[in-house]
Amino acid sequence: MKAEILSYSRSRGLFAGISLEGSTLRSDGSANKKLYAEASMPRRIVREGKIGVPASGRQLISLLDTKSPKNESDPVSLK
């Protein structure tokens, strides 16, 4: 051991590699209203697909559709 600086660390407890700083993930109702021209719940936009893609987002959605991997599994096996 010929290092100029030798360090030693000893710790106890649990390390999970996460940071708990109070951050949250929330939808922005006013931004949704501005983009989709109506105040919609994120579930209707993302999961149910009941709100169409606005003109400003069509190019991005098209690019994501072409570059994203496709799930070619049997739909029955996914249930």
Side-chain angles (χ1 to χ4, degrees):
M1 297 184 27
K2 297 180 180 180
E4 293 181 20
I5 299 175
L6 182 63
S7 66
Y8 177 79
S9 174
R10 182 176 176 190
S11 63
R12 293 183 181 174
L14 175 68
F15 175 75
I18 61 173
S19 173
L20 301 175
E21 297 179 7
S23 298
T24 60
L25 182 62
R26 299 181 193 171
S27 64
D28 185 346
S30 62
N32 286 346
K33 186 173 183 176
K34 187 184 284 187
L35 185 63
Y36 295 100
E38 62 180 272
S40 296
M41 296 298 293
R43 177 176 289 157
R44 290 188 68 214
I45 297 168
V46 178
R47 296 184 77 191
E48 296 173 3
K50 295 195 177 186
I51 308 293
V53 177
S56 60
R58 288 189 186 126
Q59 185 177 3
L60 173 62
I61 297 298
S62 176
L63 176 68
L64 292 173
D65 283 342
T66 59
K67 300 294 183 182
S68 297
K70 304 291 184 248
N71 183 356
E72 297 177 357
S73 300
D74 179 18
V76 175
S77 69
L78 300 174
K79 292 183 180 181

